Amino acid sequence: MLSDALHYPLDSDDWLRTILIGGLLSVLSVLVLPIPLLQGYYVRVLRGTTRGDATPPAFDEWGDLFVDGLKLIGVNIAVSLVVVVAMFVVGIVTGFGSAIGSGAGPVVGTGSNGGLSGLGGLGGLLTVVAFFAFVAFALLLGYVAPAMFANFAREDSMAAAFDVSTVLAAATTSEYLIAWVLAVVVGLVLGTIASLLGIVVVGIFALFYVQVVTYYLFGRGFADGLADAQRGSL
């Protein structure tokens, strides 16, 4: 899978044109407008890989590309809102825990000290549990989010990103797990190298290449995982 992913961006007759356009759009992303175009291209990568297309898409039909990019940005915003809500809940629980702890300060006498100390411990426990629950939730969402994006691209429907049964069916397979880990490793290793090469310009185009590779892995992992899950349910 990794070998296929690394070759994927180059497996077309106009691969150099695609890399050059992608790198140029990455540079121009500071102008905001090119961002949906780049995101739209990544949607096409996901759509192609989830449907078994072995060759990378081209930069064409720019209007559709822009719309697809806006849709992916919309899905990302929705996912981000889930994180914001989770942070809000954690803030409430943490505040409640702190309030309990504050009410359990030093007390003169022995009659109620044990009870107040117990409340202080409970407040601290609530804070710790809320923090680790949020971290676990954020990690889980980070793991599942690419599957949400892949299903959105495959079905060409924003609602498909929130099709919990389909997304989890693919995300809970070994195929998806392996692809996700490979994507993270590629992003960290090759992304770091590309970032260092950024000082000689070529790194900008290398970063686009790395992004295409990671999206290929996410799409391929989702497709293989979903196919395996569907076979297992027969």
Side-chain angles (χ1 to χ4, degrees), residues 54-80:
T55 58
F59 278 102
D60 56 15
E61 299 179 353
W62 293 86
D64 292 340
L65 202 68
F66 191 83
V67 172
D68 280 343
L70 289 179
K71 289 179 180 178
L72 182 57
I73 291 171
V75 174
N76 269 290
I77 291 173
V79 173
S80 299

Side-chain angles (χ1 to χ4, degrees), residues 211-231:
Q211 283 288 88
V212 174
V213 170
T214 56
Y215 274 90
Y216 170 90
L217 286 167
F218 288 141
R220 171 78 177 273
F222 176 86
D224 290 351
L226 185 60
D228 182 66
Q230 290 174 339
R231 284 194 300 268

Side-chain angles (χ1 to χ4, degrees), residues 96-105 112-127:
F96 182 66
S98 298
I100 293 177
S102 298
S112 60
N113 190 51
L116 290 175
S117 297
L119 286 176
L122 177 60
L125 180 61
L126 281 174
T127 300

Side-chain angles (χ1 to χ4, degrees), residues 20-31:
L20 289 175
I21 293 176
L24 182 60
L25 289 175
S26 298
V27 172
L28 297 176
S29 291
V30 294
L31 302 177

Side-chain angles (χ1 to χ4, degrees), residues 146-220:
M148 298 171 66
F149 303 151
N151 200 42
F152 146 68
R154 183 179 71 104
E155 298 291 344
D156 195 17
S157 167
M158 294 178 69
F162 305 96
D163 181 354
V164 177
S165 60
T166 301
V167 170
L168 290 183
T172 52
T173 62
S174 59
E175 289 86 354
Y176 180 82
L177 173 62
I178 292 170
W180 188 89
V181 171
L182 288 175
V184 171
V185 171
V186 166
L188 289 174
V189 176
L190 296 187
T192 300
I193 295 173
S195 296
L196 293 175
L197 290 174
I199 59 176
V200 290
V201 180
V202 68
I204 301 298
F205 303 95
L207 279 172
F208 173 74
Y209 165 85
V210 172
Q211 283 288 88
V212 174
V213 170
T214 56
Y215 274 90
Y216 170 90
L217 286 167
F218 288 141
R220 171 78 177 273

